[in-house]
Amino acid sequence: MRKGIKILGKVVSTILLLLIFLPVATTLVLNIEPVQNAVVRQASSYTSNLLGTDVYVEGIDFDLFSKVRIRGLYIEDYNKDTLLYIPHASTSIEGLNLAKDGLRLSGTKMYGTKLYLRELPSGELNIHPLLAQLQNPDKESDFRLYIDDIDAEELTLCYEKLEHDNRRRGSVDPNNIRLNDINTHLTNFAVVRGAVWTDIEHLSATEHSGFAINELTSHLYINNGEIALDGLNILTDNSSIYLPKLELKGDDWQSYKRFTNQVNMELRVEHSNIATDDIAYIIPTLSDWDMVVRSLSATAEGSLDDLEGSIKSAKIANDTDLEATYHIKDLPYWRDAHYVVGIEKLSSTSADILTLANRIAPEALPEDVVGIIERIEWIELRSTVGGKLNDLRFVGNISTGAGDASGDLILTTQENGRLAIVGEAKSESLDIGEILSLDKLHSITSEIKVNGSVGNTESGGIIGDIGVKIASIGYAGHTFRGIEGECKVAGNDYY
């Protein structure tokens, strides 16, 4: 019995020594330079065969606890350009069964990583063929990679299409985006049969135009033509944006070559505050507006050449509220696009109108126009606007502090720069005297038909035919009814 116990003790001691010695011995062997070189060559060869492109690794270090440090990981795309370069990375191997469960890592850290996403002549990004190389639905041993958490510092991400937009300095070119100084923390990262998903717990970055993201969080999913961001939160110095859903979906990655009509999008914005200073990085003409659209909730759905959605709520300035629906065709060429906008509610005050006009208009409003706006006090508009920007039809009703009016007008920009106006406008108990600051003139109920054009003085000023039917008008304490007349206007001449 005693002898058996001694034998058992020796066996246990040997096993314990082996459990301690083998990792130490393995680590020592792996830190021998010739062995390391062999591991590097084998890892590079395996990854190159897996992706079908050249992969290089400068060096790999191991320690006792499955910790791996990688130096100088370089992956080319199929055009022999740099796709990914990681100068320094470290991770812990939690599991390795490439034939069944794939590779599982944790505690991954990267510094100075550079990722270059470029459009290929086929229309797909250079990373997509490599992801497709990982897909093989007929085999259970398809590549699988799981990383519990990733911390990346000083990362650079470049996205470049074949044709640049060449926008002015200080604005974002959507065809040539370069994000620098990216710091991010990702969890639940996975690559399975070409699909990629992760939780972005934190991301901050600065685009080379100067646009900066202080904080971004979301769940990201990418797979064969689909890009989805759920629960997207974006914070900048001026804006706070929440998108419960942002999805781009094509039949495959080649659909993005014909993005305008073959990629559908779905977007929802809720309870967001968006500053025009941030939008100006994309639309430079807004750079001097200095406003914040508050409490914005909106939707968009469809392809870029057939997009529809709604603005459920938006607040501008102090007391301006907007609710609307829209249907836009033939974007992104916005000058030639066809618009149908239903303004369900647009309410504002004179003070807000003047504030917005002073920030938007290229020149200060004339004093008499300022006076008219001040005397209106407030407005509430409901209308439908349709057509192209140079040929719009307006049908709607407007209520003001001085009375109500309605109109059905077609506004067309002519080749000579003049604005043609055709249609009719009606007023209902509109205090025209108050609006124009004429003491003897009072409320008017009327119908006016217009067929003419408006331009600057050099082009002739106001030219056209005007027909007027006045149901009633107050003047100097008296009410006059049933007045009709027509006239022609040509600059300063009336007849």
Side-chain angles (χ1 to χ4, degrees), residues 330-493:
D330 302 323
L331 287 173
Y333 305 105
W334 57 273
R335 294 181 187 275
D336 297 322
H338 188 275
Y339 302 83
V340 177
V341 179
I343 301 175
E344 298 176 355
K345 176 186 177 184
L346 174 58
S347 59
S348 188
T349 62
S350 294
D352 274 8
I353 294 171
L354 291 173
T355 297
L356 295 173
N358 288 332
R359 293 178 181 177
I360 296 172
E363 299 178 358
L365 295 176
E367 290 186 7
D368 54 346
V369 174
V370 172
I372 290 173
I373 294 173
E374 288 176 340
R375 289 187 288 272
I376 287 176
E377 295 184 354
W378 58 268
I379 68 165
E380 187 166 308
L381 172 69
R382 288 177 172 81
S383 70
T384 299
V385 181
K388 296 183 178 181
L389 293 181
N390 63 352
D391 188 16
L392 288 173
R393 183 180 181 183
F394 168 91
V395 179
N397 301 284
I398 182 171
S399 299
T400 75
D404 302 335
S406 62
D408 184 350
L409 301 171
I410 297 175
L411 311 177
T412 304
T413 302
Q414 299 175 330
E415 291 184 0
N416 59 5
R418 294 178 60 81
L419 179 65
I421 303 174
V422 177
E424 62 180 27
K426 298 179 180 180
S427 65
E428 184 69 33
S429 301
L430 184 66
D431 195 340
I432 193 71
E434 175 67 21
I435 294 174
L436 299 178
S437 191
L438 298 173
D439 293 338
K440 293 185 177 181
L441 194 60
H442 301 292
S443 295
I444 183 172
T445 298
S446 64
E447 178 180 334
I448 300 175
K449 291 185 177 182
V450 178
N451 185 357
S453 62
V454 178
N456 56 32
T457 305
E458 289 75 14
S459 66
I462 300 174
I463 301 174
D465 299 321
I466 300 175
V468 180
K469 292 183 179 181
I470 299 176
S472 66
I473 184 171
Y475 181 77
H478 302 281
T479 300
F480 300 89
R481 294 180 172 84
I483 302 174
E484 295 187 21
E486 295 182 355
C487 72
K488 292 182 178 292
V489 180
N492 294 324
D493 298 325

Side-chain angles (χ1 to χ4, degrees), residues 45-78:
S45 176
Y46 172 80
T47 311
S48 296
N49 292 332
L50 183 69
L51 296 176
T53 188
D54 289 333
V55 176
Y56 304 99
V57 181
E58 293 178 10
I60 300 178
D61 298 325
F62 301 87
D63 68 11
L64 286 172
F65 304 102
S66 302
K67 190 80 171 181
V68 181
R69 295 179 179 84
I70 300 174
R71 303 187 308 278
L73 172 60
Y74 171 83
I75 301 177
E76 285 186 349
D77 63 21
Y78 289 171

Side-chain angles (χ1 to χ4, degrees), residues 185-189 197-202 218-220:
H185 176 65
L186 310 178
T187 59
N188 304 315
F189 180 90
W197 64 83
T198 188
D199 293 317
I200 304 172
E201 304 288 350
H202 162 75
S218 182
H219 175 76
L220 171 66

Side-chain angles (χ1 to χ4, degrees), residues 88 229 231 357:
H88 303 284
L229 288 159

Side-chain angles (χ1 to χ4, degrees), residues 14 92 311 450 468:
T14 302
S92 294
I311 299 174
V450 178
V468 180

Side-chain angles (χ1 to χ4, degrees), residues 18-251:
L18 286 172
L19 289 174
I20 295 171
F21 174 74
L22 283 176
V24 174
T26 302
T27 301
L28 292 174
V29 170
L30 288 174
N31 277 282
I32 298 172
E33 187 171 348
V35 176
Q36 283 189 346
N37 291 338
V39 171
V40 167
R41 287 195 301 270
Q42 190 65 29
S44 299
S45 176
Y46 172 80
T47 311
S48 296
N49 292 332
L50 183 69
L51 296 176
T53 188
D54 289 333
V55 176
Y56 304 99
V57 181
E58 293 178 10
I60 300 178
D61 298 325
F62 301 87
D63 68 11
L64 286 172
F65 304 102
S66 302
K67 190 80 171 181
V68 181
R69 295 179 179 84
I70 300 174
R71 303 187 308 278
L73 172 60
Y74 171 83
I75 301 177
E76 285 186 349
D77 63 21
Y78 289 171
N79 279 356
K80 299 297 181 180
D81 292 322
T82 302
L83 172 65
L84 176 67
Y85 178 68
I86 305 177
H88 303 284
S90 63
T91 190
S92 294
I93 300 175
E94 300 295 334
L96 178 58
N97 185 344
L98 296 180
K100 186 177 180 181
D101 300 323
L103 174 62
R104 183 174 292 277
L105 307 175
S106 68
T108 301
K109 299 182 184 298
M110 294 183 289
Y111 180 82
T113 299
K114 299 183 186 300
L115 176 61
Y116 299 92
L117 302 178
R118 298 183 179 92
E119 183 186 25
L120 301 175
S122 63
E124 60 185 351
L125 289 178
N126 57 346
I127 195 173
H128 297 150
L130 277 75
L131 294 176
Q133 183 75 11
L134 301 176
Q135 294 177 315
N136 192 345
D138 298 328
K139 295 183 179 180
E140 294 182 357
S141 60
D142 284 345
F143 179 79
R144 297 167 184 263
L145 170 65
Y146 303 93
I147 306 177
D148 291 345
D149 57 293
I150 301 174
D151 284 297
E153 297 181 2
E154 301 300 319
L155 185 149
T156 297
L157 171 63
C158 297
Y159 169 79
E160 185 177 11
K161 300 194 74 173
L162 293 175
E163 296 182 4
H164 293 187
D165 205 13
N166 294 322
R167 298 197 175 193
R168 75 182 189 186
R169 185 178 179 86
S171 62
V172 176
D173 180 352
N175 295 339
N176 185 25
I177 296 173
R178 185 183 181 93
L179 292 173
N180 303 309
D181 302 323
I182 301 175
N183 295 291
T184 186
H185 176 65
L186 310 178
T187 59
N188 304 315
F189 180 90
V191 180
V192 178
R193 295 182 177 179
V196 179
W197 64 83
T198 188
D199 293 317
I200 304 172
E201 304 288 350
H202 162 75
L203 186 147
S204 60
T206 302
E207 213 274 333
H208 72 143
S209 62
F211 176 68
I213 297 173
N214 298 335
E215 181 74 29
L216 183 150
T217 60
S218 182
H219 175 76
L220 171 66
Y221 178 82
I222 302 173
N223 185 31
N224 195 29
E226 179 180 356
I227 303 174
L229 288 159
D230 293 327
L232 175 61
N233 276 290
I234 302 174
L235 294 177
T236 72
D237 287 341
N238 307 302
S239 304
S240 59
I241 306 168
Y242 174 56
L243 285 77
K245 188 177 186 66
L246 172 58
E247 182 180 87
L248 301 176
K249 196 167 186 177
D251 292 335

